[in-house]
Amino acid sequence: MVVELEITGDEREYGPKTVVANSQWDVEQITSTGELTLQVSVDDESVLDDTHDVPTPGENRTSYAAVRLESDGEVTAFVEEED
């Protein structure tokens, strides 16, 4: 699995990484605001292309992007703010 992130023009690539079913890969902790594009590919095939607004980090808070591989092989991704 390869994950490509673009946060308001800043492109980064992670992987390839082996991810087993029913597991989650916390790709990156994010400390800036903006728009995040997540692209995920498995065996050179695109399986996800999503854009998210990055929640505004506050006092002692950050955001993070995570990719989850479900047991049926479906890939989901999300961006969340943590306390």
Side-chain angles (χ1 to χ4, degrees):
M1 180 183 299
V2 175
V3 176
E4 293 181 41
L5 293 179
E6 181 175 343
I7 303 173
T8 314
D10 182 15
E11 293 183 39
R12 303 168 199 170
E13 183 174 297
Y14 301 87
K17 180 170 178 71
T18 301
V19 179
V20 298
N22 289 324
S23 67
Q24 179 174 303
W25 176 18
D26 294 327
V27 178
E28 180 172 344
Q29 190 174 53
I30 303 165
T31 57
S32 61
T33 60
E35 190 172 81
L36 168 73
T37 300
L38 272 173
Q39 296 175 322
V40 179
S41 58
V42 177
D43 297 330
D44 294 326
E45 181 180 331
S46 177
V47 295
L48 184 76
D49 190 349
D50 276 342
T51 300
H52 304 265
D53 287 324
V54 176
T56 304
E59 266 183 45
N60 298 321
R61 289 183 172 178
T62 58
S63 299
Y64 66 94
V67 176
R68 181 164 181 79
L69 177 63
E70 305 292 346
S71 59
D72 62 1
E74 185 173 334
V75 175
T76 58
F78 53 93
V79 176
E80 285 195 4
E81 184 176 334
E82 59 186 14
D83 294 326

